[in-house]
Amino acid sequence: MKKTFTLIFALFLAITLSAQDTKGYFQFADKDGNIIADGTTIVRNVPETDDFGEVLIHSGLFIKNVAAPNGTPVWLVTDITRIDNGTLQVCFPQNCISYSRVGSNKSAASTIASGEQADIQSEWLPSAYGECFVTYTAKPLEKFGKTYTENEGPSVTVHYIMQDPALISQTATSKAVPTATYDTQGRPTSTDSHGMRIIRMSDGTVRKVIR
């Protein structure tokens, strides 16, 4: 009985120490690689306009591999605690998903090479004045046999603020719309066709879109 208890305790201790070690595998960072401390809240209130005329506010967050062995998977947990309007878009690791409600969401697992960082490509697309609170958590996965165990990881909260709703209304009234779509051979095609498409907009600009 004593031997069994000792083995169970040793296993529990090993799992606990392993979870503590893996928490430092990944950290959040800015575009320049500067680490953002676990538990930090940052404010993002500078709106931008993308190539499609959408107003958005970037999180500016990257996940950096600071200590994880190459091949260690990590997934991003996105907890939205407040979103007054619009949608939150997350493109990690590749597929882009939009959320418009409070809730917790989890991305697919991804690997980041040692010393490298990956853009979580997350931004709030407001449709009016308001705020959005999102906590991002990077959770490393550790393999035990044929299964993976989710370990604790760092979290950063982003407080998005849209202060100038006039920018949204101005962009909406001036937003260009597609007038014609062509394939790479210059032949007319539908806007929902797959592959590379060349779209001519109402303001005279031309865009290349891959679907």
Side-chain angles (χ1 to χ4, degrees):
M1 176 66 73
K2 184 177 181 181
K3 184 180 294 185
T4 301
F5 175 80
T6 302
L7 289 173
I8 293 174
F9 178 77
L11 180 61
F12 173 78
L13 182 61
I15 293 175
T16 302
L17 290 175
S18 176
Q20 292 175 344
D21 292 341
T22 58
K23 185 171 183 179
Y25 275 1
F26 298 92
Q27 295 291 339
F28 285 99
D30 62 19
K31 63 182 180 62
D32 297 317
N34 300 309
I35 301 301
I36 301 173
D38 180 24
T40 298
T41 296
I42 56 178
V43 175
R44 295 288 186 249
N45 57 7
V46 180
E48 302 176 26
T49 304
D50 66 10
D51 294 337
F52 296 94
E54 296 284 353
V55 175
L56 50 84
I57 302 177
H58 290 287
S59 70
L61 292 179
F62 293 72
I63 297 177
K64 186 172 184 177
N65 180 346
V66 296
N70 281 327
T72 301
V74 59
W75 58 31
L76 177 69
V77 178
T78 304
D79 289 302
I80 305 172
T81 55
R82 172 176 172 178
I83 180 166
D84 290 347
N85 55 71
T87 59
L88 181 83
Q89 180 172 275
V90 180
C91 300
F92 182 87
Q94 295 177 333
N95 296 334
C96 295
I97 304 176
S98 295
Y99 307 103
S100 58
R101 299 179 180 178
V102 169
S104 182
N105 308 279
K106 188 178 294 183
S107 73
S110 180
T111 58
I112 303 171
S114 179
E116 299 295 321
Q117 62 186 44
D119 188 351
I120 70 172
Q121 302 179 72
S122 179
E123 54 264 339
W124 179 41
L125 288 77
S127 58
Y129 168 82
E131 299 175 71
C132 178
F133 284 86
V134 184
T135 297
Y136 301 95
T137 304
K139 293 196 172 185
L141 304 178
E142 190 172 16
K143 190 172 184 179
F144 290 97
K146 296 182 180 180
T147 62
Y148 283 91
T149 299
E150 174 187 302
N151 289 316
E152 293 301 314
S155 295
V156 171
T157 298
V158 179
H159 178 194
Y160 299 92
I161 305 174
M162 182 58 195
Q163 299 172 314
D164 187 6
L167 177 62
I168 296 176
S169 60
Q170 290 168 6
T171 304
T173 56
S174 62
K175 188 183 299 184
V177 296
T179 58
T181 305
Y182 306 91
D183 62 18
T184 54
Q185 304 300 316
R187 296 171 298 196
T189 185
S190 63
T191 56
D192 59 354
S193 59
H194 289 267
M196 179 175 285
R197 294 170 291 130
I198 300 172
I199 302 177
R200 185 174 296 279
M201 308 300 291
S202 58
D203 61 359
T205 59
V206 175
R207 298 173 180 171
K208 290 183 179 180
V209 177
I210 299 176
R211 181 178 181 183

